């Protein structure tokens, strides 16, 4: 184990393609897809070796890409089998040496991304007509079992030695933090005392007891393994309808740096490194393009709204991982509000599978945006078009600054996209979450839906409706914004992240909010404690002859 | 947009005529301010012509333009000392970087708090003194009172200018609140305690202008060093006016002392109270009260706020620029008598945390000079009495010394001793009633009340008999 942290890693790219996968093999057979994990020893960074199908961020970027490919490029797929490509090994979870050598910030972002990817598996199951089978051909420990838990069903090989396990607590002094504790409790709804036992037994539970305790769904002997996997996959596929659909190729979205500006087709991200903030701008096209599902499908990757949100997704990920020092993002959406309302009308009403998937994609990107540990200010000044799906971006931000100037009128607008099309992690729409304490507010706003005869909202009306945090006039505008930005940059980044994470998700708890709000917060606390990362902490001692030396005081 | 001719109405050197933001803010605030003056200023004298000094520019001859004016028509101007080219932050963590011409977002709230606190004292003192005109010992003194009042009003303007020009909507709201709080009001009092103390007699007024306005002087001196340039320049200009207020206080107290000494000499052995004078012991007790109360205004002895203000470059030491010292103040210590477990012991306090105490040191030493001036009067008139400055630990309500009981020399005493002896040190109710009983107006030009001596000379080269206020 290296004594010092690895040197600053090279910028991480989140774009890949199955042709370039190093750790996964994605194959298709009719309505079945097979996603086989065979992790190569050299990972994204130096200083660790990915043994026994343990993973790092690079492995998970490929997994996330594969899920996207299955959803968009292979709509015919009804069941995806996740399995291990190494003999008698499914997956050993996140690589411990990689965690030990990473900065705290990187660890947190890594865990967040892997959590999002696990949720995308569940999202595809719930919204995209896919079923996922975890075919555990060998032991699934830690993050490996957490990955299995994200699937609809778990099949475990019954070879009298392979087990599912959470060794984090007993061996590493941390938590199964990639949704593991949440999913055994809230998804599989296993009894609390059994979860307690399971989570403290390093070698895990195998065979019949694993089925009895509902840790896995079924066992299959080695001799019948392939048939059993095929049978179970076929059963799962039957749960979803089969339709003839033609996929849409996901072309590369680019994104090139020109000094401090990252440019895509619709998104531009300008960094002000000295001020530690970034200006994110989404430029709408001049024309809304497709008028129905078929046209959208024909446009495919080039449908502007699809591309714009894929670009936004990529920009957000790069900001998170490659630019930890950027604390505040100011967001503007500029262009013709009519383009958004026309596109929203299509998104809201057309049930073409591709339109539905784009809608799902936008929902996921919005969540990724608001789950970022950056302060987010939406800036609605002259030329902006915070309407419908774009208004969601503003509502996903921590504050909305709206210019109220008769000579430079700013208009906002609501569409059906704001009435629950993109629920947040808490299951509510952003408007419902914003106005939890005022039941009448949401219907009052939705009265103005553009697709239901409403009109754009001028600054006064938008402010009265509660859509602006502050609506300074032209005399105050520049100063108010400057001061708000400078002030934000001066606060403790840790306290800001904590505050934002607490304020963004008012309302009910869901498995998702528990994963990000509770499990992750505890994990990130433990990640900072000497019992995990101190010189004699469990994470540091793992794999060395030394035993961890705990401070036994309970906090 | 405006119906007010700002240039005519408001003398300024901040280019008010082309600053729409400022005009818009003032347009709303100005009528409220005038209303506040009418309600809470020297109300009954608003229709009288007063011989006042008005600042009309920052030039040498511009800051003291004398003439008769009705107070509500006083031209409250907005003046900053001229821009100093390439000024840099002179202390703290930002030392050497360009002074801020705009509020840095990072320090917005801190700066606003400082400016509001300073601003709040200005209208407060007008409110505290609003009835004194009725009992003026001469129209010369009455005129001085009103001069102080209008200048406190102008200082409010100077601070409100900063709030309006640099703090957006928050600043406008704070400026409105400055007119909402009232000295001594149980529901919305002024921010600092001293500014809620009643000031209903002229002895208190002279003490106030000597001791409380001198606190103002040192607060202004430390803010005049601020890295936020507009604040520094505002305060530098205000200091010229503050000096006059202390002149009023210092000479006022001197004239009361002088009169008492005369009475003592003329009527050897008699109680001056029988002669309508104020005993020197009473004057000493008034000094004890106002000086100790004003000591509180400097804040806690060990203060992390003060340290933050200094570190941020917002509030320096008095004369920071001229000080031959480490302007970062990171290394040094301040040896302080710390009160702990009922005992005083020497402790080394990091310099930055002792900034309030350093400023208080300057204040105390300035006050010592005032005492010397009083004692010279007593000495000259051959009276066997000497004034003394109460120790900074005496009668404190703010800071660590408020946790204990201290006598005039700063010696730690028991609460019992305090209760037994407090009447020796602070004015009693009877004593206050006596002073109050002397407060009868004497408003004929050239005449003066029996408890105070006339001044050595008049204002602006005019004689004492001049009709400073046309009643």
């Amino acid at each position: 184990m290296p004594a010092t942290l690895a040197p600053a890693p090279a910028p991480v790219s989140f774009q890949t393609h199955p042709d370039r996968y190093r750790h996964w093999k994605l194959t298709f057979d009719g309505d079945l897809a097979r996603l086989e994990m065979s992790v190569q020893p050299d990972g994204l960074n130096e200083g660790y070796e990915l043994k026994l199908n343990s993973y790092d961020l690079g492995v998970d970027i490929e997994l996330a890409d594969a899920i996207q490919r299955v959803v968009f490029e292979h709509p015919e797929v009804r069941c995806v089998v996740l399995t291990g490509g190494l003999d008698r090994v499914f997956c050993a979870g996140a690589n411990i040496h990689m965690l030990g050598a990473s900065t705290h910030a990187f660890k947190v972002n890594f865990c967040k991304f892997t959590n999002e990817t696990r949720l995308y598996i569940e999202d595809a199951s719930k919204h995209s007509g896919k079923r996922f089978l975890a075919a555990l051909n060998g032991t699934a420990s830690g993050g490996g079992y957490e990955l299995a838990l994200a699937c609809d069903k778990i099949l475990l090989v019954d070879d009298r030695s392979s087990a599912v396990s959470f060794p984090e607590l007993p061996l590493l002094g941390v938590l199964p933090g990639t949704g593991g504790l949440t999913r055994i409790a809230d998804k599989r709804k296993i009894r609390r005392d059994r979860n307690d036992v399971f989570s403290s037994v390093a070698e895990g539970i195998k065979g019949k007891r694993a089925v009895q305790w509902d840790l896995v769904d079924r066992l299959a002997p080695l001799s019948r393994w392939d048939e059993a996997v095929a049978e179970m996959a076929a059963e799962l596929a039957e749960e979803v309808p089969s339709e003839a659909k033609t996929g849409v190729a996901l072309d590369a979205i680019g994104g090139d740096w020109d000094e401090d500006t990252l440019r895509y087709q619709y998104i531009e991200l300008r960094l002000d490194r000295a001020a530690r903030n970034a200006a994110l701008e989404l430029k709408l096209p001049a024309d809304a393009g497709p008028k129905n599902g078929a046209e959208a499908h024909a446009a495919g990757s080039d449908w502007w709204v699809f591309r714009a949100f894929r670009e936004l997704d990529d920009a957000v990920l790069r900001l998170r991982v490659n630019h930890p020092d950027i604390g505040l993002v100011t967001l503007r959406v500029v262009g013709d509000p009519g383009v958004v309302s026309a596109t929203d009308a299509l998104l809201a009403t057309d049930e073409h599978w591709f339109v539905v998937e784009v809608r799902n994609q936008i929902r996921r990107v919005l969540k990724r945006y608001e789950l970022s540990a950056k302060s987010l200010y939406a800036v609605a000044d002259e030329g902006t078009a915070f309407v419908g799906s774009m208004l969601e971006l503003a509502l996903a931000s921590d504050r909305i600054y709206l210019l109220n100037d008769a000579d430079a009128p700013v208009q906002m607008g609501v569409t059906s996209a704001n009435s629950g099309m993109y629920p947040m992690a808490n299951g509510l729409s952003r408007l419902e979450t914003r106005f939890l304490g005022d039941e009448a507010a949401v219907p009052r706003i939705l009265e103005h839906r553009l697709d239901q005869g409403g009109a754009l909202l001028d600054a006064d009306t938008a402010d009265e409706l509660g859509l602006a945090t502050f609506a300074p006039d032209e005399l105050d505008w520049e100063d108010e914004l400057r001061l708000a930005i400078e002030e934000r940059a001066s606060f403790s980044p840790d306290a800001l992240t904590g505050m934002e994470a607490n304020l963004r998700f008012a309302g009910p708890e869901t498995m998702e909010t528990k994963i990000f709000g509770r499990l992750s917060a505890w994990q990130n606390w433990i990640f900072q404690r000497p019992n995990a990362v101190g010189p004699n902490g469990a994470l540091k001692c793992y794999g060395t002859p030394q035993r961890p030396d705990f401070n036994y005081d309970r906090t | 947009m405006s119906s007010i001719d700002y240039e005519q109405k408001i003398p300024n050197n901040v280019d008010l005529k082309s600053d729409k933001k400022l005009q818009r803010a003032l347009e709303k605030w100005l009528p409220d301010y005038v209303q506040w003056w009418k309600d809470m200023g020297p109300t009954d004298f608003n229709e009288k012509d007063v011989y006042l000094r008005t600042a009309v520019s920052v030039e040498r001859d511009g800051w003291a333009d004398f003439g008769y004016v009705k107070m509500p028509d006083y031209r409250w101007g907005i003046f900053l000392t001229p821009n100093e080219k390439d000024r840099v932050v002179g202390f703290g963590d930002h030392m050497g970087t360009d002074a801020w011409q705009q509020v840095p977002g990072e320090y917005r709230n801190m700066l606003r708090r400082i400016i509001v606190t300073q601003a709040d004292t200005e209208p407060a003192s007008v409110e505290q003194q609003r009835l004194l005109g009725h009992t003026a010992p001469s129209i010369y003194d009455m005129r001085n009172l009103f001069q102080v009042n209008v200048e406190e009003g102008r200082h409010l303007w100077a601070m409100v200018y900063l709030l309006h020009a640099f703090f957006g909507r928050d600043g406008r709201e704070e400026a409105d609140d400055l007119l909402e709080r009232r000295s001594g009001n149980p529901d919305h009092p002024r921010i600092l305690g001293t500014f809620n103390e009643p000031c209903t007699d002229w002895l208190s007024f002279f003490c106030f202008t000597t001791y409380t306005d001198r606190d103002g002087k040192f607060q202004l001196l430390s803010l005049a060093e601020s890295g936020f340039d507009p604040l520094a320049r505002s305060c530098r200009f205000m200091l010229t006016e503050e000096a006059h207020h202390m002149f009023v206080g210092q000479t006022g107290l001197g004239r009361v002392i002088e009169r008492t000494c005369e009475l003592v000499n003329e009527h050897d052995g008699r109680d001056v109270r029988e002669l309508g004078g104020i005993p020197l012991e009473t004057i000493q007790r008034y000094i004890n009260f106002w000086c100790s109360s004003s000591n509180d205004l400097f804040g806690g002895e060990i203060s992390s706020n003060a340290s933050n203000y200094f570190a941020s470059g917002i509030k320096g030491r008095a004369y920071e620029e001229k000080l031959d010292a480490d302007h970062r103040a990171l290394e040094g210590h301040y040896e302080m008598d710390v009160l702990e477990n009922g005992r005083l012991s020497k402790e080394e306090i990091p310099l930055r945390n002792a900034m309030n105490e350093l400023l208080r040191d300057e204040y105390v030493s300035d006050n010592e000079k005032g005492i010397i001036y009083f004692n010279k009067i007593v000495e000259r008139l051959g009276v066997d009495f000497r004034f003394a400055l109460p120790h900074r630990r005496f009668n404190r309500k703010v800071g660590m010394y408020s946790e204990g009981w201290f006598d005039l020399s700063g010696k730690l005493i028991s609460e019992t001793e305090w209760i037994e002896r407090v009447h020796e040190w602070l004015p009693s109710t009877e004593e206050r009633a006596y002073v109050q009983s002397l407060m009868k107006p004497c408003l004929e030009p050239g005449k003066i009340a029996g408890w105070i001596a006339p001044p050595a000379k008049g204002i602006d080269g005019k004689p004492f008999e001049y009709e400073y206020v046309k009643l």
Side-chain angles (χ1 to χ4, degrees):
Chain A
M1 167 143 296
T4 53
L5 295 182
V12 177
S13 166
F14 289 85
Q15 296 182 36
T16 184
H17 187 274
D19 294 346
R20 303 202 299 275
Y21 290 175
R22 299 183 58 245
H23 311 292
W24 293 89
K25 202 162 77 187
L26 177 58
T27 54
F28 298 93
D29 179 11
D31 59 2
L32 293 183
R34 182 180 170 86
L35 194 45
E36 192 179 287
M37 188 183 206
S38 304
V39 175
Q40 299 301 301
D42 50 324
L44 203 55
N45 292 307
E46 312 258 309
Y48 56 86
E49 202 179 317
L50 298 174
K51 287 182 188 162
L52 294 172
N53 264 359
S54 60
Y55 57 81
D56 68 355
L57 182 60
V59 177
D60 225 67
I61 288 172
E62 291 182 7
L63 173 60
D65 184 75
I67 295 161
Q68 282 284 78
R69 302 278 167 191
V70 170
V71 168
F72 283 100
E73 299 188 342
H74 295 276
E76 77 282 0
V77 166
R78 292 197 288 165
C79 182
V80 181
V81 176
L82 260 86
T83 192
L86 306 184
D87 185 36
R88 311 281 286 279
V89 173
F90 175 69
C91 170
N95 186 277
I96 304 309
H97 302 289
M98 178 276 294
L99 288 177
S102 299
T103 62
H104 181 73
F106 185 86
K107 275 204 286 281
V108 170
N109 269 313
F110 163 74
C111 292
K112 189 178 281 178
F113 183 80
T114 55
N115 263 316
E116 285 168 333
T117 307
R118 307 303 170 270
L119 284 163
Y120 287 0
I121 290 175
E122 286 168 334
D123 192 84
S125 170
K126 191 170 173 196
H127 298 289
S128 305
K130 315 285 180 211
R131 288 293 178 269
F132 289 81
L133 171 63
L136 311 184
N137 58 309
T139 288
S141 56
Y145 180 54
E146 294 183 295
L147 177 58
L149 284 168
C151 296
D152 296 289
K153 294 286 177 190
I154 302 173
L155 176 67
L156 172 64
V157 66
D158 188 11
D159 58 1
R160 301 294 187 273
S161 64
S162 294
V164 294
S165 68
F166 277 163
E168 283 88 346
L169 172 88
L171 286 189
L172 308 170
V174 296
L175 302 180
T178 313
L181 293 181
T182 315
R183 284 196 177 87
I184 53 174
D186 284 87
K187 184 181 183 185
R188 295 192 73 95
K189 301 187 169 64
I190 299 169
R191 257 167 46 190
R192 168 184 160 183
D193 53 349
R194 287 179 168 172
N195 280 336
D196 187 284
V197 172
F198 173 65
S199 304
S200 45
V201 177
E203 70 272 22
I205 292 180
K206 58 183 189 284
K208 284 192 185 110
R209 179 177 280 183
V211 177
Q212 225 171 34
W213 284 23
D214 203 27
L215 292 163
V216 304
D217 294 288
R218 208 180 280 176
L219 299 171
L222 262 177
S223 56
R224 279 199 68 250
W225 179 246
D226 291 343
E227 294 97 299
V229 172
E231 274 167 32
M232 203 164 173
E235 279 171 34
L236 276 173
E238 285 307 310
E239 292 181 5
V240 290
S242 157
E243 288 168 61
K245 301 169 187 166
T246 313
V248 163
L250 298 179
D251 62 1
I253 48 168
D256 294 316
W257 283 103
D258 172 9
E259 294 192 346
D260 281 342
T261 303
L262 175 63
R263 280 203 187 84
Y264 304 84
Q265 189 175 344
Y266 298 105
I267 295 279
E268 198 175 281
L269 180 73
R270 286 188 310 278
L271 304 187
D272 183 341
R273 291 174 197 268
R276 299 191 301 279
N277 65 48
L280 183 69
E281 189 167 281
L282 192 159
K283 283 195 181 69
L284 300 170
D287 189 273
K291 292 179 185 59
N292 55 48
E295 286 180 27
H297 183 245
S301 273
D302 284 329
W303 188 16
W304 78 266
V305 70
F306 184 35
R307 180 172 292 273
F309 272 92
R310 286 180 68 210
E311 291 175 358
L312 178 61
D313 200 35
D314 192 61
V316 166
L317 286 171
R318 285 159 83 162
L319 257 181
R320 277 187 190 175
V321 173
N322 298 336
H323 304 281
D325 55 328
I326 299 292
L328 169 68
V329 177
T330 55
L331 168 86
R332 297 171 82 246
V333 176
V334 296
D336 175 7
V339 169
V340 186
S341 56
T343 303
D344 276 1
L346 173 52
L347 282 166
T349 55
D350 202 295
E351 288 306 308
H352 188 288
W353 77 265
F354 178 61
V355 175
V356 172
E357 287 309 334
V358 170
R359 213 155 68 196
N360 290 337
Q361 172 72 4
I362 295 173
R363 175 168 42 73
R364 290 189 293 264
V365 176
L366 284 165
K367 287 189 197 175
R368 176 107 79 195
Y369 173 75
E370 71 198 341
L371 257 183
S372 301
K374 310 282 182 195
S375 297
L376 308 168
Y377 286 178
V379 178
D381 56 3
E382 200 175 2
T384 54
F386 284 103
V387 170
S389 295
M390 301 300 155
L391 178 63
E392 286 295 301
L393 275 170
L395 294 168
S397 305
D398 298 302
R399 296 185 187 185
I400 301 174
Y401 283 86
L402 171 62
L403 171 64
N404 191 349
D405 175 6
D407 294 331
V410 176
Q411 297 189 308
M412 285 189 158
V414 284
T415 69
S416 291
N418 307 115
S419 63
M421 202 154 100
Y422 307 121
M424 298 174 59
N426 61 11
L428 304 181
S429 77
R430 287 185 180 74
L431 280 178
E432 286 168 337
T433 306
R434 186 177 181 84
F435 296 105
L436 268 180
D438 181 3
E439 266 181 37
V442 178
R444 200 157 54 221
I445 292 167
L446 291 177
E447 265 174 31
H448 299 273
R449 261 181 289 184
L450 294 168
D451 45 351
Q452 311 232 335
L456 288 171
L457 310 169
D458 61 23
D460 279 328
T461 315
D463 190 24
E464 273 164 35
L465 288 171
L467 293 175
T469 309
F470 293 112
D473 63 18
E474 69 279 12
L475 296 180
D476 283 337
W477 175 256
E478 237 170 86
D479 245 17
E480 291 287 338
L481 202 58
R482 179 185 65 80
L483 286 167
I485 289 169
E486 286 181 8
E487 180 188 60
R488 198 75 167 189
S490 72
F491 291 138
S492 153
D494 301 333
L496 278 177
T497 297
M499 178 189 81
E500 290 154 2
N502 275 285
L503 298 182
R504 284 176 187 174
F505 307 98
E509 284 271 32
T510 62
M511 199 173 75
E512 216 170 315
T513 62
K514 282 188 182 176
I515 288 173
F516 291 117
R518 185 178 305 176
L519 182 57
S520 301
W522 281 113
Q523 178 78 311
N524 295 343
W525 176 70
I526 293 166
F527 271 166
Q528 291 282 64
R529 299 275 297 165
N531 283 339
V533 295
N536 301 316
L539 265 186
K540 295 281 179 192
C541 292
Y542 180 73
T544 73
Q546 204 188 340
R547 298 252 322 132
D549 180 14
F550 292 131
N551 172 350
Y552 283 100
D553 291 348
R554 292 286 282 249
T555 307
Chain B
M1 79 186 261
S2 142
S3 52
I4 304 172
D5 179 355
Y6 287 100
E7 283 304 296
Q8 182 50 40
K9 179 100 187 143
I10 307 171
N12 70 87
N13 68 343
V14 295
D15 196 18
L16 180 55
K17 65 177 179 303
S18 55
D19 190 337
K20 282 209 177 104
K21 184 158 70 172
L22 200 51
Q23 285 176 22
R24 191 253 320 256
L26 282 176
E27 187 155 17
K28 180 177 173 298
W29 192 80
L30 181 66
D32 290 348
Y33 171 76
V34 172
Q35 192 55 49
W36 167 81
W37 182 274
K38 286 181 177 163
D39 294 345
M40 295 309 296
T43 311
D44 301 321
F45 298 88
N46 276 336
E47 296 310 312
K48 309 295 180 198
D49 281 317
V50 186
Y51 192 71
L52 291 176
R53 179 179 75 179
T54 306
V56 294
S57 83
V58 291
E59 306 307 318
R60 256 192 104 67
D61 53 349
W63 75 277
D65 189 51
F66 283 90
Y68 283 107
V69 61
K70 291 183 174 59
M71 283 184 281
D73 300 332
Y74 188 78
R75 297 195 303 151
W76 284 285
I78 302 170
F79 292 105
L80 279 62
T81 54
N83 218 335
E84 193 181 302
K85 207 169 161 282
D86 302 326
R87 184 168 172 256
V88 295
V89 181
F91 59 93
D93 294 341
H94 299 283
M95 188 176 154
T97 60
D98 287 345
W100 304 297
Q101 301 305 324
Q102 289 290 330
V103 174
E106 189 176 348
Y107 301 134
R108 173 191 210 173
N109 294 326
M110 215 190 263
L111 266 169
R112 194 182 51 204
R113 190 160 68 232
I114 288 180
I115 292 172
V116 166
T117 307
Q118 176 65 37
D120 194 64
T121 65
E122 315 289 359
S125 61
V126 176
E127 290 164 2
Q128 285 170 292
Q129 298 158 11
R130 64 184 299 260
L131 296 174
L132 284 176
H134 290 288
T135 56
S138 72
I139 55 170
Y140 163 90
D141 288 294
M142 179 188 258
R143 178 262 162 213
N144 283 351
L145 167 71
F146 294 155
Q147 183 70 52
V148 169
N149 288 165
V150 292
E151 280 172 356
E152 299 295 5
R154 205 202 67 74
H155 291 182
L156 172 61
W157 272 74
M159 294 291 114
V160 165
Y161 157 72
L162 294 174
L163 291 172
H164 280 171
F166 298 98
F167 293 86
R169 199 184 60 167
D170 298 357
R172 293 197 292 277
E173 286 173 5
E174 291 289 1
D176 292 346
D177 285 347
L178 285 168
L179 300 177
E180 294 287 324
R181 285 184 289 269
R182 293 281 189 273
S183 177
N185 185 300
D187 292 328
H188 39 102
R190 291 292 168 186
I191 297 170
L192 300 171
T194 308
F195 293 90
N196 290 304
E197 298 286 354
C199 182
T200 54
D201 64 78
W202 280 77
L203 186 58
S204 292
F205 172 67
F206 292 135
C207 287
F208 184 97
T209 38
T210 302
Y211 294 105
T212 310
D213 280 332
R214 182 167 279 114
D215 155 72
K217 169 186 163 181
F218 283 95
Q219 298 302 331
L220 291 176
L221 277 171
S222 64
L223 293 175
E225 304 290 328
S226 182
F228 178 45
D229 201 42
L231 173 62
R233 291 164 52 209
S234 283
C235 291
R236 285 171 192 198
F237 190 75
M238 288 159 76
L239 277 165
T240 55
E241 291 158 326
E242 207 68 34
H244 173 259
H245 303 182
M246 281 174 290
F247 161 83
V248 169
Q250 189 75 27
T251 57
L253 278 180
R255 287 158 52 215
V256 181
I257 293 166
E258 184 181 342
R259 178 64 184 150
T260 302
C261 290
E262 283 169 10
L263 290 172
V264 169
N265 288 340
E266 286 163 23
H267 308 274
D268 195 22
R270 279 182 65 188
D271 183 341
V272 292
R273 276 177 292 196
E274 292 168 24
L275 308 161
I278 303 177
L280 297 176
E281 293 77 6
T282 300
I283 300 171
Q284 175 71 60
R285 282 190 277 272
Y286 269 66
I287 290 174
N288 294 345
F289 172 78
W290 284 100
C291 184
S292 58
S293 175
S294 301
N295 263 319
D296 279 342
L297 295 171
F298 289 82
E301 285 71 19
I302 305 169
S303 164
S304 53
N305 271 344
S307 171
N308 286 339
Y309 295 160
F310 187 87
S312 313
I314 285 173
K315 190 175 172 188
R317 287 168 286 196
Y319 316 108
E320 181 77 44
E321 216 174 283
K322 293 176 200 150
L323 279 184
D324 179 23
D326 165 22
H327 294 290
R328 290 185 199 274
L330 271 175
E331 305 284 316
H333 286 85
Y334 182 100
E335 199 180 74
M336 197 182 286
D337 290 318
V338 173
L339 179 63
E340 238 168 8
N341 306 323
R343 290 186 49 198
L344 283 174
S345 54
K346 296 270 184 220
E347 237 177 73
E348 290 206 325
I349 305 300
L351 205 51
R352 282 187 175 185
N353 290 89
M355 283 299 160
N356 286 344
E357 204 53 17
L358 282 165
L359 199 61
R360 199 167 5 235
D361 282 347
E362 297 282 343
Y363 174 70
V364 169
S365 110
D366 225 28
N367 282 340
E368 300 278 9
K369 290 179 199 150
I371 293 291
I372 292 170
Y373 168 85
F374 300 146
N375 283 336
K376 275 190 181 149
I377 297 172
V378 189
E379 212 171 330
R380 174 166 54 83
L381 295 172
V383 173
D384 183 22
F385 185 90
R386 291 296 177 267
F387 285 97
L389 198 63
H391 196 275
R392 68 179 72 185
R393 294 198 279 270
F394 171 76
N395 189 35
R396 293 287 301 278
K397 303 283 186 284
V398 171
M400 70 175 150
Y401 303 127
S402 66
E403 310 280 317
W405 306 97
F406 296 92
D407 69 8
L408 284 177
S409 67
K411 198 180 103 198
L412 193 57
I413 56 173
S414 69
E415 188 179 357
T416 323
E417 187 177 354
W418 171 267
I419 294 169
E420 272 169 17
R421 299 188 58 194
V422 65
H423 68 277
E424 294 173 32
W425 302 328
L426 292 173
S428 64
T429 316
E430 297 76 34
E431 208 163 19
R432 286 179 185 277
Y434 171 72
V435 170
Q436 196 65 51
S437 74
L438 296 177
M439 298 298 126
K440 302 266 166 40
C442 177
L443 302 176
E444 208 175 306
K447 293 280 169 61
I448 190 146
W451 52 269
I452 183 169
K457 55 183 182 182
I459 293 293
D460 188 32
K462 303 278 187 287
F464 170 65
E465 300 78 21
Y466 190 71
E467 194 179 11
Y468 292 104
V469 184
K470 292 185 176 167
L471 292 167

